[in-house]
Amino acid sequence: MTTLKRVDVHVEGVVQGVGFRPFVHALARRLGLAGRVHNDVNGVHIEVEGALAGVEEFLTALERDAPALSEIERVTVVSARPTGHNGFTIAAGIPSGPLRPLVRADGATCDDCLRELADPADRRHGYPFINCANCGPRFTIVRGVPYDRPLTTMAGFGMCQACAAEYHDPGNRRHHAQPTCCPACGPRLRLRDARGTELCGDPIAGAVTLLRAGRVVAVKGLGGFHLAVPAADERAAALLRGRKHREEQPFAVMTADLAQARRLCEIDEHAAELLTGRARPIVLLPRLPGAPVAASVAPATRSLGLMLPYTALHHLLLAELAEPMVLTGGNVSGEPIAYEDDDALTRLSGIADAFLIHDRPIHVRADDSVVRPMAGEVTVLRRARGYAPEPLAMRWPAPRPVLACGAELKSTFCLAEGRRAFVSQHIGNLENHETLRSFVESIDHFCGLFGIRPQIVAHDLHPGYLSTRHAKEIHGVELLGVQHHHAHIASCLADNGDPGPVLGVALDGLGHGPDGTLWGGEFLRADLTSFERLGHLAQVPMPGGSAAVRQPWRMTAAYLGDDHAGLDVARRNPWADALRLAPGSPLTSSAARLFDAVAALLGVRDKITYAGQAVVELEQHADPAERGTYEAGITHGDLLVVEAADLVRAAAADLAAGTGTRAIAGRFHNGLADAVTRACDALRHTTGLTAVALSGGMFQNALLLEATVARLRAAGFRVLKHVRVPPGDGGVSLGQAAVAAARDRA
């Protein structure tokens, strides 16, 4: 006699709008089970009954074989009495409270759709907008909730009879896939010249003809426009760089597949998984010697930012081009990427020679995400397309809804409610008016999308940050200022689900210190509610204030003073003028300014053309095999102080003695990692803390991170580092939200 079993199953997470109900329907029918599945206010509810073995297999496969775009956070199973129900159905959900759907990030074209794309017998053969419940646009097309076609930018495209049949068929993978379309009823691709006039012929073939001729083509993607040229064409890459006013910051490169990518970079199994995953981020990887990439694509760096195609349009374009292409943001440097057609035709007309454009509107701008394998794991450096707006699970709940407004550069914001934190896509530098407008509009969009009305608004302590000013303009909320470096460490704690306390090492650019100085090389005792400054890098003046950020040689002068005999950096620059400014200049403990000083000393970079350039190029210049180490003194008083000037003086002495600059750069990295470890060891004896959290933009430097982690672990520390959100200012908003929630719980 067959033993019958019935269970009620509740699934929470990203399980709506991703083909989860059709998956459950197909699974239950395959196993001969009865019941029903429907959406509810917090996820998906399933009632299933049948043979005991079948129900147990159902529960196993439910998580094991879930749709690619789903993300299960929690499964609750409750046994119930069998009812003798026959058949399995997809029922309409009847919400018993306010809708709280989790909108999925845009997903790369799945293998099933790619097979149809390549099949001449398929009705979607060669169609650039092919998608299904397992892939395609999501976040960038959603205007509101519930997630249904009328509230997406697909609302203007009525489904043809064939698409509608797929859409309504529970057994079809396009069941309730809102962007479902085909050549008969969906968006169309066009090629326009720089004046906006439509060009005749096949748009993709026409675009490739222009690319092969060395022209710049603007391509409308999922979250905005990109600018494309062949990656091996030096003249075209240099032309693009000049028109875009992006003097030296590296361009990203898109390859058709892994085989093509492996001709450019070192790609291990971990890197291959990142490149081929559904998020399809830009992955920073070591460049192979002699890789066929133009010098102007990524000057002064041993790495390349590689990505694989994530839309059918990209696949078709690269198949026709038959070589890698540069794919960089469709903007003038310093501005946000263009995502609306008319704006793109206006703003990019002086850059692009043609526009590969389509008539599906983009509702939300989203840059490409950037990740980097470091210290045995992946670190997200820019979290945007493919990741946002999916929530980060929080170990402890926020009692009241929180909005955290983040920092000023590499800006993000964060909404937190309950155990979920929604970190926005990368927004950029808020000093740009258009970026600030996007920041404000995106906050409103997130609040509406997730039904969150903030009661607490957290912000940076810097009164000049535009994110802080925006926070203070919001009425009817409780305001909470969070110190910049506490937010960095809290972000790392939240990223790791650790409450602290820890020794927090925050190495970054500049942050407002409560003592009126500019912090940036900090040793903190921190948990989610509070922090205490235990030490810092020795403070030095920034000659000329903000001019020292743009001209790193000024920091070399600040560190070495009159001790510069025979140094080329002093001959190249007005050294004496900088020293005259130093006594009245702001003081800083910034680790970034320390890197600047060494970069200019070694002739790597006297002036920068993009934020953080000297830091990036000093890492790339360093010999990763160098084992020599400079030693920085540590003084103990009310606060521990790392005498960072010792590192600069040691580098200057080696340079004067004829030591190679790559070896010097390597010894400097090792010296700073050693100083961090010795400082933490000293603080362990006074605090008893044995865990260290590493945060701040300097820990986007793989050489520094890996050297520091290795030394700390060898010294017996448990080390926390970033994985899900950036160590830099892109992760500050999560830290602010975590602090606000923790203080609200206290």
Side-chain angles (χ1 to χ4, degrees):
M1 183 175 179
T2 303
T3 301
L4 294 179
K5 183 177 180 63
R6 172 189 165 92
V7 291
D8 290 347
V9 184
H10 194 257
V11 187
E12 297 175 64
V14 185
V15 290
Q16 295 186 18
V18 293
F20 202 88
R21 288 179 302 160
F23 155 70
V24 170
H25 179 268
L27 176 62
R29 293 188 67 176
R30 178 170 63 81
L31 295 172
L33 303 176
R36 65 174 187 162
V37 58
H38 63 86
N39 288 339
D40 66 15
V41 67
N42 289 314
V44 170
H45 188 79
I46 308 164
E47 300 164 16
V48 63
E49 66 178 76
L52 175 62
V55 171
E56 290 178 347
E57 171 61 19
F58 176 88
L59 293 174
T60 299
L62 185 68
E63 296 188 64
R64 183 191 65 207
D65 303 332
L69 288 184
S70 66
E71 187 168 319
I72 296 174
E73 292 179 0
R74 187 179 296 106
V75 177
T76 305
V77 181
V78 178
S79 294
R81 187 185 300 275
T83 63
H85 189 87
N86 292 318
F88 197 93
T89 59
I90 296 177
I94 305 175
S96 58
L99 285 172
R100 299 192 186 281
L102 297 182
V103 176
R104 198 53 158 143
D106 304 275
T109 310
C110 70
D111 290 342
D112 287 332
C113 284
L114 287 177
R115 279 190 286 273
E116 293 174 348
L117 185 74
D119 182 0
D122 193 277
R123 68 191 186 89
R124 292 186 177 90
H125 173 241
Y127 184 54
F129 307 101
I130 191 171
N131 69 86
C132 69
N134 299 320
C135 68
R138 292 294 190 276
F139 173 56
T140 53
I141 65 169
V142 174
R143 289 192 168 114
V145 291
Y147 174 59
D148 207 353
R149 194 175 181 106
L151 289 175
T152 73
T153 62
M154 287 296 295
F157 300 94
M159 282 184 281
C160 66
Q161 187 174 355
C163 285
E166 293 172 331
Y167 180 86
H168 292 292
D169 179 3
N172 192 285
R173 76 175 198 280
R174 292 189 171 91
H175 178 68
H176 283 194
Q178 307 307 335
T180 294
C181 59
C182 73
C185 64
R188 286 184 53 210
L189 194 64
R190 295 175 174 83
L191 183 64
R192 300 182 184 274
D193 65 18
R195 295 186 301 274
T197 303
E198 186 170 349
L199 301 176
C200 297
D202 177 70
I204 290 175
V208 168
T209 297
L210 291 169
L211 288 170
R212 287 176 177 157
R215 305 293 179 85
V216 178
V217 177
V219 180
K220 186 178 180 182
L222 276 179
F225 281 80
H226 290 91
L227 297 164
V229 295
D233 188 332
E234 171 60 26
R235 190 193 68 81
L239 176 68
L240 173 57
R241 195 168 284 287
R243 289 181 179 179
K244 189 174 160 70
H245 303 300
R246 183 166 169 165
E247 296 179 43
E248 291 157 309
Q249 190 171 7
F251 291 144
V253 174
M254 180 177 276
T255 64
D257 49 33
L258 270 178
Q260 206 174 72
R262 287 193 166 105
R263 293 195 282 272
L264 304 183
C265 288
E266 297 175 17
I267 299 175
D268 59 16
E269 184 177 341
H270 188 201
E273 290 176 359
L274 291 171
L275 286 166
T276 57
R278 64 172 180 80
R280 295 290 167 98
I282 297 169
V283 185
L284 297 186
L285 295 167
R287 186 186 336 195
L288 292 172
V293 175
S296 291
V297 170
T301 173
R302 296 191 298 263
S303 301
L304 279 178
L306 289 189
M307 59 178 159
L308 297 190
Y310 53 85
T311 70
L313 173 58
H314 293 127
H315 280 282
L316 295 169
L317 196 57
L318 282 163
E320 184 79 12
L321 183 63
E323 62 176 301
M325 65 180 177
V326 164
L327 206 65
T328 187
N331 62 342
V332 176
S333 288
E335 297 180 356
I337 60 170
Y339 72 105
E340 295 172 323
D341 298 353
D342 291 343
D343 180 50
L345 288 165
T346 299
R347 281 207 285 139
L348 304 181
S349 61
I351 304 176
D353 298 299
F355 293 79
L356 190 57
I357 204 164
H358 59 76
D359 54 355
R360 184 182 67 208
I362 297 169
H363 187 65
V364 178
R365 177 192 286 119
D367 290 86
D368 293 315
S369 294
V370 181
V371 305
R372 188 178 191 186
M374 296 195 294
E377 291 184 283
V378 60
T379 298
V380 174
L381 304 185
R382 185 169 75 193
R383 188 175 184 273
R385 178 196 50 76
Y387 295 99
E390 292 168 18
L392 302 175
M394 303 289 282
R395 189 171 174 185
W396 300 275
R400 291 182 290 167
V402 176
L403 165 64
C405 291
E408 179 93 327
L409 304 178
K410 301 177 181 176
S411 173
T412 63
F413 62 84
C414 177
L415 284 173
E417 184 176 52
R419 294 182 181 271
R420 289 173 176 153
F422 298 88
V423 178
S424 74
Q425 74 276 24
H426 166 84
I427 292 174
N429 181 357
L430 297 186
E431 292 176 348
N432 177 276
H433 174 73
E434 179 63 24
T435 308
L436 179 62
R437 185 168 70 89
S438 177
F439 172 79
V440 174
E441 291 176 349
S442 293
I443 290 175
D444 289 342
H445 184 56
F446 267 60
C447 287
L449 207 57
F450 302 115
I452 297 175
R453 291 294 174 263
Q455 295 179 31
I456 302 173
V457 175
H459 59 82
D460 196 274
L461 294 183
H462 197 301
Y465 280 3
L466 293 178
S467 57
T468 300
R469 294 182 185 179
H470 176 71
K472 292 182 176 180
E473 291 171 357
I474 300 174
H475 299 292
V477 297
E478 181 180 323
L479 290 175
L480 176 68
V482 182
Q483 199 278 329
H484 189 82
H485 299 96
H486 182 208
H488 269 301
I489 301 304
S491 175
C492 187
L493 291 174
D495 201 352
N496 288 273
D498 194 304
V502 295
L503 293 172
V505 181
L507 303 183
D508 74 342
L510 300 170
H512 186 76
D515 61 355
T517 64
L518 297 170
W519 292 12
E522 309 307 315
F523 297 88
L524 310 177
R525 183 192 188 281
D527 56 26
L528 292 176
T529 58
S530 62
F531 78 98
E532 178 187 359
R533 194 187 198 195
L534 302 178
H536 56 84
L537 302 185
Q539 294 179 326
V540 293
M542 288 174 54
S546 61
V549 178
R550 299 188 298 273
Q551 299 173 335
W553 66 266
R554 292 176 180 268
M555 293 309 304
T556 320
Y559 272 102
L560 294 180
D562 292 324
D563 187 17
H564 61 81
L567 293 177
D568 285 343
V569 64
R571 286 195 292 266
R572 292 193 305 266
N573 299 289
W575 195 271
D577 291 345
L579 293 182
R580 278 195 294 272
L581 290 171
S585 296
L587 293 175
T588 185
S589 57
S590 168
R593 302 293 79 79
L594 171 63
F595 271 81
D596 286 351
V598 177
L601 171 69
L602 301 185
V604 171
R605 178 62 51 187
D606 281 0
K607 299 178 182 179
I608 65 167
T609 61
Y610 64 89
Q613 183 177 9
V615 177
V616 170
E617 292 183 356
L618 184 62
E619 178 199 354
Q620 296 297 314
H621 188 76
D623 179 358
E626 176 61 43
R627 293 295 174 262
T629 302
Y630 298 138
E631 184 171 338
I634 296 177
T635 59
H636 302 270
D638 292 339
L639 294 175
L640 175 149
V641 177
V642 175
E643 301 297 342
D646 292 347
L647 302 176
V648 185
R649 284 193 288 266
D654 265 0
L655 186 64
T659 304
T661 57
R662 294 187 181 277
I664 294 172
R667 293 172 187 177
F668 165 73
H669 279 80
N670 293 337
L672 183 55
D674 176 71
V676 166
T677 304
R678 288 188 292 114
C680 289
D681 187 54
L683 294 172
R684 172 168 53 185
H685 290 294
T686 60
T687 65
L689 296 174
T690 58
V692 178
L694 305 177
S695 192
M698 297 308 98
F699 288 116
Q700 296 182 167
N701 177 323
L703 194 57
L704 177 65
L705 179 71
E706 290 168 357
T708 304
V709 169
R711 284 166 168 78
L712 286 169
R713 286 177 174 165
F717 285 101
R718 180 169 64 90
V719 182
L720 306 178
K721 56 189 186 299
H722 284 269
V723 177
R724 300 183 296 170
V725 297
D729 281 5
V732 161
S733 65
L734 176 64
Q736 292 172 345
V739 170
R743 290 183 183 172
D744 203 29
R745 288 193 299 271

